[in-house]
Amino acid sequence: MNPLPKILKRDDYIQEGCNPANGVVLLACSVGDDDEVPCSRVVVVRDGLALSYLLEGDQLTSIDAAPDGSSWALGENGLVIRFDWRTPSSDVELAATVEHYKINGVEDEGPLRRLRLLGSDVVAVGAMGQAMYFAGQDFIALPRLIVAGEELTLEDLAGPSRADFIGVSNDGYAAHFDGKVWHKLDLPSNVPLNSIARLAGNRYAITGDGAALLVGAGDQWRAIALPHDERDYWGIAADSNDTIYLSHVGGIDVFSGTSANALKIPRRRQNEFVVLRSGPDGIWSFAGHSVGLVAGGQWQVML
């Protein structure tokens, strides 16, 4: 896959991205820093095209998409857009596929953090234990995540469906939702947790502050001791061999099951590391004005 074209404008800042099909990249960008009138942009890169859609009224925090073209982007204050990445060949055609939804009450509760397609389900989570899924033409609230009387901030989620997923909290907890209730996981750690990835065999890998890496399922989890325990890991992703990639402010570490080593990344002023996502082209890194791809164990600068 060729490096991405220069698709960002000066005020664009990548919040998250995804790679739903070979050669396809979607970006959710905030635009500028006007808190009174927040703006965002969705960028679709496909078949040599770079399409975009400008959204006013919310700052996008998350994006996910399916191979069939179904795509969703989440705003922190509850504005959600649905669009098709596969068929448009111009900005006008992309805009024609966009549908807007509003999740009420979010501005009073606190920002939403993540939206994920879990199988055929669309699920979003965020502050104050908020969790909801899309049904028909609206988002329906799921039970809030509450531990010891506190509504926790959900930072990330992963799983096969809205009736079987795990959410992680920067309050130091993770919990499994079974379609009806939350079950707090018995983790061998209580550090703030930032990101989660699915592994083979219905297992998961969770990461967070203090070089935390937790691997397991159900109530069987192990904490893996990693070097550089002063590092806070913000993103996590795994490839088809269950090699785990962990992003920190200075780069990406790779855990292969026995040890963790720094990924060789040439120094470059634009490199930033926050979100990691797996896709058919490899492991993607999205942050700020930087996009990178790890394919065949090698780092490639894409933007």
Side-chain angles (χ1 to χ4, degrees), residues 132-189:
M132 62 277 298
Y133 72 98
F134 185 74
Q137 291 296 313
D138 203 359
F139 279 82
I140 306 299
L142 295 170
R144 292 174 182 257
L145 176 57
I146 301 174
V147 175
E150 296 292 327
E151 295 173 329
L152 307 182
T153 295
L154 285 160
E155 295 286 346
D156 199 7
L157 72 157
S161 74
R162 67 178 174 87
D164 179 14
F165 70 89
I166 291 176
V168 298
S169 167
N170 62 10
D171 302 280
Y173 297 98
H176 174 252
F177 186 71
D178 67 3
K180 295 182 179 179
V181 297
W182 290 97
H183 303 273
K184 183 175 76 69
L185 301 181
D186 184 15
L187 300 179
S189 169

Side-chain angles (χ1 to χ4, degrees), residues 52 160 226 298:
S52 68
L226 298 178
Q298 302 296 313

Side-chain angles (χ1 to χ4, degrees), residues 134-281:
F134 185 74
Q137 291 296 313
D138 203 359
F139 279 82
I140 306 299
L142 295 170
R144 292 174 182 257
L145 176 57
I146 301 174
V147 175
E150 296 292 327
E151 295 173 329
L152 307 182
T153 295
L154 285 160
E155 295 286 346
D156 199 7
L157 72 157
S161 74
R162 67 178 174 87
D164 179 14
F165 70 89
I166 291 176
V168 298
S169 167
N170 62 10
D171 302 280
Y173 297 98
H176 174 252
F177 186 71
D178 67 3
K180 295 182 179 179
V181 297
W182 290 97
H183 303 273
K184 183 175 76 69
L185 301 181
D186 184 15
L187 300 179
S189 169
N190 62 356
V191 301
L193 303 175
N194 301 317
S195 190
I196 181 171
R198 288 185 73 188
L199 304 176
N202 202 32
R203 297 179 304 127
Y204 295 83
I206 299 172
T207 197
D209 290 1
L213 176 58
L214 311 173
V215 175
D219 278 326
Q220 302 296 317
W221 294 84
R222 64 188 179 106
I224 297 173
L226 298 178
H228 310 294
D229 61 7
E230 76 283 358
R231 286 180 178 169
D232 295 335
Y233 287 125
W234 299 105
I236 190 170
D239 64 18
S240 58
N241 297 317
D242 278 357
T243 299
I244 297 171
Y245 297 79
L246 305 141
S247 63
H248 58 93
V249 68
I252 297 173
D253 291 340
V254 184
F255 178 73
S256 61
T258 56
S259 62
N261 299 289
L263 182 70
K264 292 183 178 180
I265 301 175
R267 292 198 174 197
R268 177 173 174 261
R269 187 179 62 182
Q270 294 92 335
N271 277 344
E272 301 172 81
F273 308 95
V274 182
V275 176
L276 296 179
R277 302 287 301 273
S278 61
D281 288 322

Side-chain angles (χ1 to χ4, degrees), residues 4-20:
L4 300 178
K6 293 184 177 180
I7 55 175
L8 293 190
K9 301 181 184 299
R10 172 180 288 185
D11 290 338
D12 288 344
Y13 190 92
I14 301 169
Q15 299 292 338
E16 196 175 57
C18 63
N19 170 217

Side-chain angles (χ1 to χ4, degrees), residues 1 19-25 46-47 85 279-282:
M1 180 177 176
N19 170 217
N22 290 111
V24 180
V25 180
R46 187 201 83 234
D47 301 329
W85 66 256
D281 288 322

Side-chain angles (χ1 to χ4, degrees), residues 45-83:
V45 180
R46 187 201 83 234
D47 301 329
L49 299 171
L51 313 178
S52 68
Y53 175 77
L54 183 66
L55 173 74
E56 294 186 349
D58 209 342
Q59 178 173 296
L60 294 178
T61 59
S62 191
I63 190 168
D64 206 3
D68 66 359
S70 176
S71 315
W72 297 78
L74 172 71
E76 64 178 8
N77 291 322
L79 185 59
V80 182
I81 63 169
R82 181 183 189 178
F83 62 98

